[in-house]
Amino acid sequence: MILEALPSGRGADPPGSGIDLPAGLLTDLTALYASRHAFQAVSGDFPDPDDIRPEQVARSLADELAVPGAEVLLARGEGRLVGVVVTLAHHPDPVDPDPWIGLLIVDAAVGRQGYGRRIAAAVEARFRAAGRTAVRLAVLDANPDGLAFWTALGYEPVAHRPDRERGRPCTVLRKPLGEPAHVERRAARVAVVAPDGAVLLFRYDTPETGVHWALPGGGLEPGESPREGARRELAEETGWTDLAPGALLRTWEHEFPRGTVRVRQYEHIHVTPGPRRDPSGPDLAAAHATDGILGWRWWSRTDLAAAEAEGVRVWPRGLAGLLDAWEAGRTTQE
């Protein structure tokens, strides 16, 4: 899952009508807002919660962005819009030192899949990276489900008062954003190299690291060696049980946030020759959904090196050069 900021450009016809958005995006946003009928009914943000229209959504977003320090973030997962969140760097009340989450809506079609928690964690990480020490939000009294959601994430009530916009009774909640704890994790991956030199990579989209390309693999289980873990992960993610991890290509380490902790991951990268084929198996779709895998591709060395040069995120970095060196050494030994 990734968060991207919504452009703040205004529509020009009629003046002040809303944000100038691509028609497809505005259609998706309207459907997302309308999917949460119960929330819209209690919020009163739209005249008729049963008939939310694109121009109303555009106007609402324009009003949000008109507030200094406001940002509208779109959450995308598995190639589609799954949520929207509105943040405020500084509350209009000058005595309030914290940034705010003004709104978080997850498409009902992907409800109960953890997107709300992942979006909240990503927003908290953004504020933490900006040096903010806490975040606040307000939940309407008429929205008990919202209150339960936020308190489960560690937000604690600090006040009860009418909201500034319409005087609706609400609970103000606050969550400290201390330094995330650090944990270490061991992982292993396999570079499967086809006879033509191409290598299989998965396209991942995870809340911790966003969209990137990486080799099949993942975290080791307790007592598992890197080679054992690499073989298990390769079978789970590709369905191939006939390949064994070969030589150690390299080890590397990197850090990424996961919820309220920061993970330092140590990876063993193995390499092995294999046929060029597609991953297959009855359980792959579920496994890929769990791991945040959007798809796969066999990359030629030339395309892989060019993609990295253009800024495409490939893990481990410099993979094309590593495989060239491995192949040259293998040819020499043969």
Side-chain angles (χ1 to χ4, degrees):
M1 187 204 72
I2 57 174
L3 292 181
E4 61 184 40
L6 186 71
S8 58
R10 293 276 186 156
D13 187 19
S17 62
I19 304 177
D20 187 11
L21 296 174
L25 176 57
L26 185 54
T27 297
D28 291 344
L29 283 165
T30 303
L32 188 154
Y33 274 70
S35 75
R36 291 296 181 177
H37 177 271
F39 171 76
Q40 302 298 356
V42 301
S43 73
D45 291 337
F46 295 95
D48 184 354
D50 293 319
D51 185 24
I52 297 177
R53 302 177 182 180
E55 62 271 18
Q56 295 172 336
V57 172
R59 188 177 304 115
S60 176
L61 292 171
D63 291 343
E64 297 280 10
L65 289 170
V67 179
E71 191 170 36
V72 175
L73 302 171
L74 306 180
R76 297 187 183 278
E78 300 184 19
R80 57 163 294 177
L81 181 69
V82 296
V84 62
V85 58
V86 178
T87 64
L88 192 62
H90 299 280
H91 194 268
D93 187 341
V95 302
D96 186 341
D98 299 325
W100 278 63
I101 297 175
L103 176 72
L104 192 159
I105 298 179
V106 175
D107 191 338
V110 293
R112 300 188 181 278
Q113 295 184 26
Y115 280 113
R117 291 174 176 269
R118 293 163 66 185
I119 294 170
V123 170
E124 292 166 7
R126 288 169 66 94
F127 282 138
R128 188 183 293 111
R132 311 306 292 272
T133 58
V135 60
R136 300 192 189 205
L137 53 88
V139 179
L140 297 174
D141 284 2
N143 184 17
D145 289 344
L147 184 63
F149 170 80
W150 290 109
T151 54
L153 296 186
Y155 287 75
E156 298 183 353
V158 294
H160 187 269
R161 66 190 187 209
D163 75 332
R164 295 171 62 92
E165 186 176 356
R166 297 192 182 95
R168 301 164 293 186
C170 61
T171 298
V172 177
L173 300 101
R174 184 177 189 267
K175 181 178 181 179
L177 298 177
E179 285 295 321
H182 283 72
V183 299
E184 294 186 354
R185 184 173 187 253
R186 298 167 64 240
R189 299 187 182 277
V190 182
V192 179
V193 180
D196 62 0
V199 61
L200 177 74
L201 292 177
F202 284 124
R203 185 171 182 259
Y204 288 84
D205 179 7
T206 66
E208 303 88 5
T209 55
V211 176
H212 62 283
W213 291 88
L215 299 165
L220 302 184
E221 295 181 351
E224 195 173 44
S225 72
R227 192 176 296 276
E228 291 170 337
R231 184 166 193 161
R232 174 184 53 77
E233 288 283 345
L234 180 64
E236 290 177 358
E237 295 185 347
T238 65
W240 305 335
T241 59
D242 58 338
L243 295 181
L248 181 65
L249 186 65
R250 70 159 296 180
T251 62
W252 80 302
E253 57 189 66
H254 58 118
E255 287 192 3
F256 53 85
R258 173 169 288 176
T260 60
V261 303
R262 189 157 189 86
V263 177
R264 185 159 191 82
Q265 183 154 295
Y266 300 88
E267 295 193 359
H268 282 67
I269 310 294
H270 293 271
V271 61
T272 190
R276 181 166 179 157
R277 54 186 168 178
D278 288 340
S280 62
D283 301 322
L284 282 189
H288 287 185
T290 299
D291 293 340
I293 296 174
L294 303 182
W296 61 81
R297 172 180 168 181
W298 286 93
W299 288 80
S300 71
R301 305 285 173 74
T302 300
D303 289 348
L304 187 58
E308 287 199 77
E310 294 173 359
V312 175
R313 300 174 68 197
V314 178
W315 290 357
R317 291 183 293 272
L319 179 58
L322 293 171
L323 292 175
D324 285 342
W326 165 77
E327 194 166 73
R330 178 168 168 256
T331 301
T332 300
Q333 293 173 5
E334 293 175 351

